[in-house]
C-alpha cells in the first residue's frame, strides 16, 4: 500500500490523538509509553499504535475524516480487520449512533479532497499536541 504525505500526516495525528485521549490503544486501552533505546534515542508512544480506518481507502470522502479513524495497537487492529461485524459494532459504540450514522452518510457522498488544506489542518492539529 503506497502512502502519500497526507496519509502519513493523518496517521500521525490519529495516533497522537489516541495517546492524548486514552494514553494508548483506543479499543483495549493498553497504555503506551515512550521507550528509551540503548543508544539514548526515544521511540515515541504514538509510534507503537496503528491508524485504523473504519471505511477504507476506497471511500475517498472519509479517507481523512477524523471520525473515520482511531489509534489501535497492532493486535486490536488485526482483530477488528478479521472480524468485520465486531469492527462495525465497536465503531458504532465508540462514536455513538448519531455520529456513526453521519459518518456512514459522508462515506457515500462523492467529495473532492483538498490535500493542501488538509495538510495544513493536520499539521496545525499535531502542533497542538506538542504544546500541551
Amino acid at each position: 500500500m503506497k502512502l502519500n504525505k497526507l496519509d502519513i500526516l493523518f496517521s500521525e495525528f490519529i495516533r497522537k490523538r489516541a495517546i492524548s485521549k486514552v494514553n494508548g490503544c483506543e479499543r483495549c486501552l493498553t497504555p503506551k509509553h515512550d521507550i528509551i533505546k540503548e543508544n539514548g534515542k526515544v521511540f515515541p508512544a504514538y509510534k507503537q499504535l496503528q491508524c485504523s480506518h473504519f471505511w477504507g481507502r476506497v471511500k475517498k470522502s472519509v479517507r481523512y475524516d477524523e471520525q473515520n479513524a482511531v489509534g489501535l495497537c497492532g493486535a486490536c487492529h488485526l482483530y477488528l480487520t478479521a472480524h468485520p461485524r465486531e469492527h462495525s459494532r465497536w465503531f458504532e459504540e465508540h462514536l455513538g449512533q448519531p455520529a456513526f450514522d453521519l459518518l456512514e452518510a459522508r462515506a457515500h457522498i462523492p467529495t473532492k479532497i483538498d490535500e493542501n488544506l488538509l495538510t495544513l489542518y493536520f499539521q496545525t492539529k499535531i502542533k497542538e499536541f506538542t504544546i500541551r
Side-chain angles (χ1 to χ4, degrees), residues 36-65:
I36 312 270
K37 295 186 175 189
E38 287 182 24
N39 62 7
K41 291 188 177 182
V42 176
F43 184 66
Y46 83 92
K47 288 191 174 184
Q48 299 166 48
L49 297 175
Q50 298 175 2
C51 177
S52 174
H53 290 77
F54 180 68
W55 291 100
R57 295 172 73 88
V58 296
K59 295 292 187 183
K60 302 277 188 225
S61 58
V62 291
R63 177 72 187 147
Y64 305 107
D65 188 313

Side-chain angles (χ1 to χ4, degrees), residues 10 13-14 17 64-70 121-122 125:
F10 179 75
F13 166 71
I14 293 298
R17 182 186 68 183
Y64 305 107
D65 188 313
E66 295 175 50
Q67 290 190 320
N68 186 45
V70 291
Y121 174 76
F122 288 117
K125 296 295 277 185

Side-chain angles (χ1 to χ4, degrees), residues 28-109:
C28 69
L29 304 177
T30 301
K32 300 295 180 188
H33 306 283
D34 292 351
I35 297 171
I36 312 270
K37 295 186 175 189
E38 287 182 24
N39 62 7
K41 291 188 177 182
V42 176
F43 184 66
Y46 83 92
K47 288 191 174 184
Q48 299 166 48
L49 297 175
Q50 298 175 2
C51 177
S52 174
H53 290 77
F54 180 68
W55 291 100
R57 295 172 73 88
V58 296
K59 295 292 187 183
K60 302 277 188 225
S61 58
V62 291
R63 177 72 187 147
Y64 305 107
D65 188 313
E66 295 175 50
Q67 290 190 320
N68 186 45
V70 291
L72 299 179
C73 66
C76 285
H77 194 182
L78 188 62
Y79 179 82
L80 290 178
T81 300
H83 299 87
R85 285 191 180 136
E86 212 165 317
H87 189 207
S88 187
R89 273 190 297 249
W90 184 83
F91 245 92
E92 249 180 77
E93 184 180 300
H94 178 73
L95 290 176
Q97 193 65 54
F100 183 81
D101 291 343
L102 288 171
L103 175 63
E104 187 165 18
R106 288 193 305 275
H108 294 90
I109 298 170

